Every structure is written in C-alpha cells, then in structure tokens.
Amino acid sequence: MIKRPLIWILASFLLGMYLAWRHFSVSIVSLLVLSLLLCIYLGMYRAKWKVVSPKDKFLWSLPFILLLGFLAMGGRLVKPALYDAFDQKTYCEVSGKISLIVQKPSGKAVYLKKNKVTLPEGDTYRCEAILVFCNEDTTASPASPAGPFDHQTNYRVGNEIAVKGTLQKFSQATNPGQFNEQFYYEIENIDFKLKAKAITMTDGRYSEFHSVLDHIKERLIKVYDTILSEKESGALVAMLLGEKYLLGDEVKTLYQQNGISHILAISGLHVSLIGMFVFAVLKGLKVPIFISTFVTIFILYCYGVLTNFSVSTNRAVVMMTIMLLASPAGKTYDMLSALSLSAFLILLQNPLQVFSAGFLLSYGAVLGIALIQPCFRQLFQKKHIILESIYVSTSAQLATAPIVIYFYYQLPLYGILVNLIILPFVTILTLTSIFAGILGVVYLPLGIFCVGGANYILKFYEWVCRVGSALPGNLVTVGKPGALQMVLYIILLVLFCWTSNRWAARDEAAKDESAKNETEDNATMKHWATQHCNKKLCLLLPLLASILLILPQSHAGLRVTILDVGQGDSIYLEHEGGMTALIDGGSTDVMNVGKYRIKPFLLSQGTDELTYVIMTHADADHINGLKELMEDGQTRIRNLVLPEISNKDQGYLEMEALAKEKKIAVSYCKAGDKIVDGDLTLFCLHPSEGVEAPDTNSYSAVFSVRYGEFDLLLTGDIGKEQEPALLRNLTDEALWGDDGPSGFKPRMEYDILKVAHHGSKNSTSDEFLSSLQPRYAFISCGSNNRYGHPHQELLERLQEAGSDTRITYEAGAIQIETDGRLMEVSGYLE
C-alpha cells in the first residue's frame, strides 16, 4: 500500500492549481482527468504486474482532486466585474458586513465582506472583500448611533455598515524588488481598498464571540503597554497577539537582520507551547482525555481568532489539532501527513496563498525539520539537547534560505547561531508573558510582578541582535536568485537526504550483521571507521548548495535601469567591471521613495554598495531618496559626485553636509571630467566651469555614457537655454581630450536619450533632437502628475524625430542591457 496518501492528495491539488495558473483550457484538464482515471484502472486491475494495489482506493480521488485544484485556482484568477468599471480610483458608496477590524498606527483597517458598491453613475456591483481605511478624519453620518469612528466598541465584527469614500485599485509593482501591493492583497483575497470619508451603521447586530475576544485582546494590550516600556511592549504584543502597530521600526529591523523575525509573528512555536501547556494542565487535573483534547482545541481556535488567524497560525492550529486527536482515535501522529492536510485545507480556501512568503516560510521550516533534521541525527548518531537544537535550527534555515533570499534578497549569516541563543528562552518568555497579561487584567501589580522575566528576556534578545548586527558580514546581499540556482539548490538538498538515508540503511544492515558475529576483527573495525568517515562527506552537499545559493550574480556588459519613481528621477548603472552608479534618486509623489523603491531595487540586484552616487541637481524630486539611503547607512556609498557650481542652494549644501557626516567622499564634476571603469566612460558635458546658475535646473549635470559602440545621454533637468552650450561641448574635441579609451571621440548620434525635465515642453528642442537623432527616448515621470508631464508638444517632437518613446509610468522600470555593440531594451510591465 502507498504510505501517506495525504501527500498524494496535496500533490494532485497543487498540480491542478498549476494548470490553472498556466491558463490550460478546461478541455485539456478534463482530458487529463479522464486519462488519469484510465491509468489508475489499468494499473489496478489490468496490468500484468499490478502497478498499484487495489487497496489504495484513495487513488480514485486524485484526478478529481486535481480538477478541484484547477477550478479553485481558476476561480481566484477571475477579476470582479467592478474592476473594469473604473480606472484607478472613484468615489462610491459601499455597504457590507465587517469581518475583521485591525488596529493600524494611523487608524483602523476594517475588512468588509459581501459588499454592494454603488458608483457615482448609479451602477451597482457585487464585491466579495474590500479593505476600508479609517482615521481620525473619518466621521459618522447623523444616522449612525455609533458616532465618530474612534473606538473599537463602536463598530464590531458582524455589524453591517455603509461607507462613503474613495475606492481604489491596489498598485502593482513597477520596479524589480518593489513590493507588489496588488498581488499581495490578491493573495489575501481583498479586491479593493477604500479611504473612508463617512460611515453609517445599517445593522447593529454583531458576533458576541468575536466581541469577547476583541475585548480580551484590547485589555491585554493595555496591560502590556502599562507594565512594560514602549519598545518591549510593542515586541511582546506582536509576538503574542499578532498586532504590529505598536512595534517599533528599530526592533523590527534588528530582528530581521539577525534572522529571528519569525518570533515576531504568531507561529507554530507559540501555538504548540500554548496547546501543550493547556493540555498538560488539564491532564494534571485528571480531566478525562476526551474533554482535555477538545478544550485544548477550542482554546487554540480562540487564540487563532484572537490573533487574526495568519497562515502560520492556521497551519499550527490544524497540525496541533491532528496531533491531539491522534491518540484518542488510536492513530499515530505523522508530521508529513499533518503538514499535507493543513496545507490542503488552507489552499482549498485560498489557492493563491501558495505564492505568499508567510505560507512558504511556515511550511518550508516545518518541512525542513521533518525531512532534514533526521538526516543529521543519522549522520552523527549522538543525542544531546544542544545538538538537537542545532539540528532543528540548521534544518529550518536550510529549507527556508532560498525562500528568504527570493523575497528579501538578503541572508542573515549568523541566523543559525542567533536562533540557537534565543530559542531556548521562547518557552519562558511566552508562558510568563501570558501569565503576566492575565494577572495584570485581574490586578495590575501582579502583572508587573510576573512580567519581570519576560522584560529581561526581551532586553537580552535586543542585545544579542545588536551584537549580531555589529559582526562583520552579518547580512549577505545576494539579490533575487535565478531559477537555475533554486533548482540546483533543491536538487543538492534532496541528494543529501537520499544519501544520508542510504548510509542509515547500511548502518542498520551492518548492525544486524555484527549481531550475528560475537567477535569483530581489526579489519572490520577499520572498515567501519572508514565508512563512518565517508558518510560524513555527504555534509558537503548542503554546504555546496548554500555556497551556490549565495554566490553573487555577475552580469556581462553594461546594464542601465531607469527606475519608475513616479514624478522624479533615478537611474542605475552596473558594469561588468564591478562599478555601480546611481544617478539621482527622488520623487515628489512617492513617499519614502528611497525606502520603498530605490533600496529594494538595489537589493534585488544584489547591490548593497554603490561606487558612485551622482546628484545632477538639488531639487527634491532628484535627491530625497538619495538622502534616505545616506541617512539609513545600510547601503554603502563610496563617492558622492556633485556638479561644480559657485552659487550653491540649500539642497546642495544639505547633501554636502550629510555626506560629510556619513564620511562619504565628495567630488565635483564639470564639463570635461570623466568617470572611467575599463571600457565604460561617463563624460560630463554640463555644467561648464565657472557657470552662474540662475536656478537649480540650469546647473543640472549632464553625462554622456559611452560603452563600446553604445551611447546614452543623461540630461537631468536642463532646459532649452542650456542645450546650445551642451551641443557645443559635444563637438568640442579639445574638451573631450585624448586621455580616454583608444579611438574615443565625440559622437553626435545617440542610441538612447533620457529626456530632460520629465518630458517638459520647455526642454528637448527640435534643434537638439535633430542633432542627437536618438533611436530611443525615455521619460521618467508620474502618472497624472500636476505638471502635465510629459507635455504633448514634446511627445510630438519626439515622434517627428523618429524616436521610440517610452514612459516609466506606462512601461515601469526601463532596462537596457548591452555588450557595447548590441542592446536589448525592456520595460518591467511589458
């Protein structure tokens, strides 16, 4: 008989999901289902040698499970009709039932289900789930008995409300590495977001069960906030109650950099500790096993609801429930079967969770412990609590490493060591914190008395993280791994498991053989010693896999990326010689553009160090992201290059001062200066020496990028007034000099023109275009910006010049790859 049928069921469901994701037709999938049914029939009853046993009746369900997976995923990929009814946002009225209320730093997020949406034209649509954001500006209409939306007690899960406000589609990622809001909420089964202007309660009925749990949560949060400092309280509330709005950025960053951010999320560890503790207490009180089991399961379910039932909590509750029910049912608990069943149940509700980082990390860690940890035990055959901890931590880290790198582009080098230090204290931290919270609700001084241990453990965690962050090479920046890297990594881990199991089988056979012989000669002992050493060699496989995974990715030739930063500029250059340069980085319509667009892009490229950061001029839409990178300090900047001018504005002086504070070398460029890296040259064409700039745009640094036969012109924000001087510099051979690469002479025809001033009509004149004759013209600006960029007059001039024009808000980040002779242009959204 086939062991672990639940694994086969999950695999069939996943295959069906994959077929739907790849848009296979219903007819092809139906044909596949019929073919599988025929194969099962032939394999069971008609084959000369029975391929499968007739006892494996579950096999008949697999084709239908595959079809179920196909239909489940297919249904989730269909957009609601409302999606095509408006462009990006519209004013509307929504009525729906509250399914969840989550506290946020700036207000509340209310999840509405079974919604009716009325647009300004009077058209109505049905929509399953909408996320409503409420803040202090959100008011209730006079018809609402609840008053302003200020308190949790006003609106509860189960209430039906009507909301007026701005309905928006979620934004998609337009740059490599950028958070994809649209796909994230699609995974969470949320269709739209709504910024609420006014709320009216239409039905005051609510869920008593959820209301009680919400009240308990609020009381516990208030207790922790009172008996602990702000930093420790925020961390503890995130760990135990799943509420992260009190969690400070500093603590969050420290935990992430050291590979222990998993303890800030409700995980299997928390659920297992609570479940086993409750069950042990009930068992100690001589409560019948049947009652103990179901009381524990009920408490775990309540805890899941209390903490908003994240994927990891869902998995842990299901697996813990299976483990508790196994003994009364007379069955043996099997981790892989329980893992498969929990994954099947979660994906049946929401198939897109298979793409969620939380789902993959949660299941990856448990799968690693289930499959890799036994291999270490078999190889070392030594039992010790410290060794067991090392096996568990190493196994989980090996299984989740490719997932961490794929989503976050960095790997904490000392993560295994830090986890070994902090994990033994998790049990004490969790249980003492729960006791302190409960006692604090009853009588606050008791809570203060009991929370001391948890307080010191949290301070110890912070200290360990600070030490870890100070160690050299704490974070290895890898970038987004390629598919081949991931496949080879998995193959090597599978090979490690297979070889270690083979050695274990040989050891068992050798033990049986030795049991038959009472004596062992020296030759036999020597042979066993050799075999023992040989089997340790398979440890090289996970080591080789890890090295392969973190190897830096090299790119041949030159890669240029014009990022989509909204209304602003940011251009990244990476040369095969190792030189990296970021030219500008700012935006006026994207908040924290450095944190949310530029830095994630750099990390996705495997870059945490920039050879040059070049500021063309000091307008906010060119430098506010650069300031973020410099202040953050996690991206090392070797050189800051500024245009050489005499009348420096405030923004310019601030960049100089910040560079000095962060000990970044500052240099200045004027027409005729060069940055050379092998056969790559960045030649400065503007500003000329001694120029008096009437405004910031007029002193914009302009660079001609030359790589072999490839030419790119980066024009900053210059206007028509600066173009004649720029053209003169282009033809001035004396300015270009003879100290560049062999045969280096000015060329007037450009492959690519980065259009000046975001596509303003006051730049890029007809004379300028006729002189340059650019094959491509790229414009960086935000959609529906207040300046009207790119202006229609400019687009018409580019069309007349025969340039292939692309705009970042349409194409996303624009990437150019060239070997100096041929080039390939692609848009992130194309």
Side-chain angles (χ1 to χ4, degrees):
M1 290 182 64
I2 297 175
K3 294 182 178 180
R4 298 187 174 108
L6 287 170
I7 295 179
W8 289 82
I9 290 172
L10 176 62
S12 300
F13 191 79
L14 288 171
L15 178 57
M17 286 168 49
Y18 173 78
L19 295 175
W21 180 255
R22 301 301 297 178
H23 301 291
F24 278 72
S25 65
V26 176
S27 57
I28 291 177
V29 174
S30 300
L31 184 61
L32 177 61
V33 168
L34 293 174
S35 301
L36 287 174
L37 288 171
L38 180 61
C39 290
I40 293 169
Y41 172 75
L42 294 175
M44 278 188 178
Y45 302 111
R46 295 299 180 186
K48 186 176 181 181
W49 295 280
K50 292 292 190 296
V51 179
V52 290
S53 170
K55 294 181 180 179
D56 294 318
K57 301 294 185 184
F58 79 94
L59 290 175
W60 289 106
S61 69
L62 297 186
F64 300 103
I65 296 293
L66 183 150
L67 182 61
L68 180 63
F70 177 80
L71 295 174
M73 177 62 88
R76 289 289 289 110
L77 295 179
V78 177
K79 298 280 188 186
L82 177 60
Y83 196 83
D84 297 321
F86 65 99
D87 185 17
Q88 280 301 118
K89 58 184 179 180
T90 182
Y91 190 82
C92 70
E93 182 173 346
V94 175
S95 58
K97 179 180 286 189
I98 298 176
S99 62
L100 180 66
I101 301 174
V102 177
Q103 184 69 46
K104 297 289 183 181
S106 58
K108 287 183 173 69
V110 179
Y111 292 75
L112 292 184
K113 63 179 182 180
K114 299 178 180 177
N115 301 285
K116 178 183 176 183
V117 181
T118 305
L119 299 182
E121 300 82 12
D123 298 330
T124 59
Y125 295 86
R126 292 290 176 182
C127 184
E128 181 57 32
I130 293 176
L131 178 57
V132 180
F133 291 102
C134 310
N135 53 36
E136 58 186 15
D137 297 326
T138 304
T139 58
S141 69
S144 172
F149 197 98
D150 288 334
H151 303 289
Q152 180 77 25
T153 52
N154 285 345
Y155 294 89
R156 304 174 184 179
V157 172
N159 288 160
E160 292 186 11
I161 59 175
V163 187
K164 293 181 179 180
T166 303
L167 187 71
Q168 289 180 271
K169 295 178 181 177
F170 293 107
S171 58
Q172 60 182 324
T174 57
N175 300 286
Q178 182 184 336
F179 172 65
N180 193 335
E181 184 188 47
Q182 183 184 77
F183 192 48
Y184 174 82
Y185 281 104
E186 195 174 343
I187 290 172
E188 296 299 313
N189 203 15
I190 305 294
D191 299 313
F192 302 97
K193 59 183 175 181
L194 177 68
K195 186 175 181 181
K197 297 285 187 183
I199 299 177
T200 303
M201 185 184 294
T202 57
D203 189 337
R205 289 175 295 179
Y206 60 89
S207 166
E208 291 283 358
F209 175 67
H210 284 86
S211 180
V212 169
L213 292 177
D214 287 340
H215 181 66
I216 291 172
K217 180 191 284 189
E218 288 298 316
R219 290 290 303 274
L220 288 173
I221 290 174
K222 287 180 181 178
V223 167
Y224 290 133
D225 198 36
T226 304
I227 65 179
L228 289 168
S229 68
E230 183 180 350
K231 189 183 294 184
E232 279 71 36
S233 171
L236 197 60
V237 168
M239 289 179 192
L240 295 182
L241 302 175
E243 296 289 348
K244 293 185 170 59
Y245 67 95
L246 295 174
L247 182 63
D249 288 339
E250 183 188 12
V251 173
K252 184 179 178 181
T253 301
L254 277 173
Y255 280 45
Q256 287 175 341
Q257 289 178 349
N258 290 274
I260 62 168
S261 58
H262 58 87
I263 69 171
L264 291 174
I266 308 298
S267 65
L269 188 59
H270 301 78
V271 173
S272 300
L273 285 173
I274 294 170
M276 295 306 296
F277 178 77
V278 171
F279 187 77
V281 169
L282 293 174
K283 192 175 179 181
L285 294 173
K286 307 299 182 182
V287 177
I289 188 73
F290 180 81
I291 297 176
S292 299
T293 298
F294 281 93
V295 169
T296 303
I297 292 171
F298 176 73
I299 290 175
L300 289 178
Y301 176 76
C302 291
Y303 183 67
V305 174
L306 187 77
T307 57
N308 303 329
F309 252 126
S310 66
V311 170
S312 57
T313 308
N314 202 337
R315 173 197 61 75
V317 169
V318 171
M319 292 185 68
M320 192 71 188
T321 300
I322 295 169
M323 187 174 73
L324 291 169
L325 292 174
S327 180
K331 301 290 183 179
T332 303
Y333 176 76
D334 179 71
M335 183 182 288
L336 288 175
S337 296
L339 192 69
S340 300
L341 178 59
S342 65
F344 175 73
L345 293 176
I346 289 173
L347 295 177
L348 185 61
Q349 299 172 68
N350 186 357
L352 287 176
Q353 284 289 352
V354 76
F355 299 109
S356 161
F359 178 91
L360 293 172
L361 287 170
S362 180
Y363 280 89
V366 178
L367 194 62
I369 293 169
L371 296 179
I372 302 175
Q373 182 192 13
C375 299
F376 287 118
R377 285 178 180 166
Q378 292 163 359
L379 289 174
F380 292 97
Q381 296 182 346
K382 292 180 181 178
K383 293 184 178 180
H384 191 281
I385 188 169
I386 295 178
L387 285 177
E388 286 295 321
S389 298
I390 293 174
Y391 299 157
V392 170
S393 183
T394 305
S395 301
Q397 294 280 340
L398 283 172
T400 57
I403 304 168
V404 170
I405 293 175
Y406 182 84
F407 284 100
Y408 306 109
Y409 319 122
Q410 292 181 304
L411 194 66
L413 190 60
Y414 308 111
I416 293 175
L417 178 61
V418 174
N419 274 279
L420 286 175
I421 295 171
I422 64 102
L423 285 179
F425 298 95
V426 171
T427 302
I428 302 172
L429 174 63
T430 302
L431 295 180
T432 56
S433 300
I434 291 173
F435 279 129
I438 294 172
L439 292 173
V441 169
V442 177
Y443 184 55
L444 194 62
L446 284 177
I448 296 172
F449 176 77
C450 290
V451 84
N455 184 42
Y456 285 115
I457 290 173
L458 289 170
K459 290 183 181 296
F460 174 69
Y461 281 5
E462 183 181 346
W463 178 81
V464 170
C465 288
R466 291 191 185 280
V467 171
S469 296
L471 293 174
N474 175 49
L475 274 177
V476 180
T477 302
V478 180
K480 194 165 188 174
L484 182 60
Q485 272 181 292
M486 302 277 279
V487 170
L488 289 176
Y489 182 87
I490 294 170
I491 289 173
L492 288 172
L493 281 190
V494 170
L495 190 59
F496 166 68
C497 294
W498 181 78
T499 52
S500 61
N501 286 322
R502 286 289 301 273
W503 280 113
R506 288 185 184 182
D507 284 348
E508 287 298 322
K511 287 179 182 178
D512 293 341
E513 186 65 28
S514 64
K516 297 177 184 178
N517 303 319
E518 295 183 0
T519 60
E520 295 176 348
D521 55 22
N522 290 335
T524 303
M525 294 294 291
K526 186 175 181 180
H527 174 72
W528 281 8
T530 304
Q531 291 285 82
H532 185 70
C533 291
N534 287 341
K535 72 178 183 180
K536 296 289 179 66
L537 291 176
C538 68
L539 288 170
L540 293 175
L541 291 171
L543 178 61
L544 179 62
S546 301
I547 293 172
L548 176 69
L549 191 64
I550 65 174
L551 276 177
Q553 300 181 43
S554 58
H555 304 290
L558 174 67
R559 176 180 288 182
V560 181
T561 306
I562 301 171
L563 276 70
D564 174 28
V565 289
Q567 188 64 19
D569 259 5
S570 189
I571 302 153
Y572 175 74
L573 282 76
E574 182 178 1
H575 183 227
E576 62 182 357
M579 189 272 279
T580 55
L582 184 66
I583 302 170
D584 286 336
S587 177
T588 54
D589 64 350
V590 176
M591 296 293 291
N592 300 316
V593 67
K595 179 179 180 180
Y596 294 117
R597 296 210 181 179
I598 300 174
K599 185 179 177 182
F601 166 78
L602 294 175
L603 293 178
S604 74
Q605 304 303 298
T607 300
D608 58 6
E609 180 176 312
L610 293 166
T611 315
Y612 297 99
V613 165
I614 301 173
M615 181 193 83
T616 61
H617 63 295
D619 280 353
D621 60 341
H622 289 251
I623 66 168
N624 54 21
L626 298 182
K627 284 183 176 180
E628 289 178 49
L629 293 183
M630 294 165 71
E631 289 167 351
D632 177 55
Q634 294 181 20
T635 303
R636 184 187 172 194
I637 300 171
R638 290 187 183 178
N639 303 280
L640 175 65
V641 181
L642 306 174
E644 186 175 303
I645 58 172
S646 55
N647 52 331
K648 300 176 180 179
D649 55 86
Q650 184 62 33
Y652 190 111
L653 294 171
E654 288 176 2
M655 287 292 287
E656 277 186 320
L658 186 57
K660 183 178 180 180
E661 178 188 336
K662 299 297 180 180
K663 298 180 180 179
I664 300 170
V666 179
S667 56
Y668 301 88
C669 65
K670 63 182 182 303
D673 291 336
K674 300 184 185 74
I675 296 174
V676 180
D677 184 65
D679 48 0
L680 171 66
T681 302
L682 279 70
F683 188 90
C684 184
L685 293 169
H686 189 268
S688 298
E689 187 172 6
V691 67
E692 285 284 340
D695 55 54
T696 54
N697 290 341
S698 59
Y699 72 72
S700 254
V702 176
F703 283 89
S704 178
V705 180
R706 170 77 58 82
Y707 181 67
E709 299 174 14
F710 171 80
D711 287 281
L712 162 68
L713 188 63
L714 304 174
T715 52
D717 272 4
I718 62 164
K720 291 179 181 178
E721 298 80 8
Q722 288 76 47
E723 290 173 359
L726 185 61
L727 291 175
R728 284 196 300 272
N729 288 341
L730 270 172
T731 56
D732 187 352
E733 294 193 23
L735 180 67
W736 286 69
D738 56 2
D739 58 341
S742 177
F744 190 80
K745 292 182 179 180
R747 292 198 290 256
M748 289 299 292
E749 293 184 5
Y750 276 84
D751 297 293
I752 296 174
L753 169 66
K754 163 50 184 60
V755 177
H757 206 175
H758 319 290
S760 169
K761 63 183 178 182
N762 299 316
S763 297
T764 320
S765 63
D766 286 323
E767 295 79 7
F768 191 65
L769 286 172
S770 63
S771 298
L772 300 180
Q773 301 177 19
R775 180 179 167 190
Y776 289 95
F778 298 148
I779 302 172
S780 177
C781 65
S783 177
N784 300 317
N785 62 81
R786 58 179 175 150
Y787 308 102
H789 295 155
H791 292 143
Q792 186 60 36
E793 299 95 319
L794 182 277
L795 293 176
E796 290 172 0
R797 289 201 294 267
L798 291 172
Q799 186 177 9
E800 290 172 6
S803 300
D804 184 348
T805 304
R806 301 189 189 186
I807 309 169
T808 52
Y809 68 71
E810 293 177 343
I814 302 169
Q815 192 168 84
I816 307 109
E817 294 187 72
T818 177
D819 59 0
R821 204 167 52 85
L822 302 174
M823 70 174 177
E824 181 180 346
V825 176
S826 60
Y828 189 72
L829 298 179
E830 295 175 346

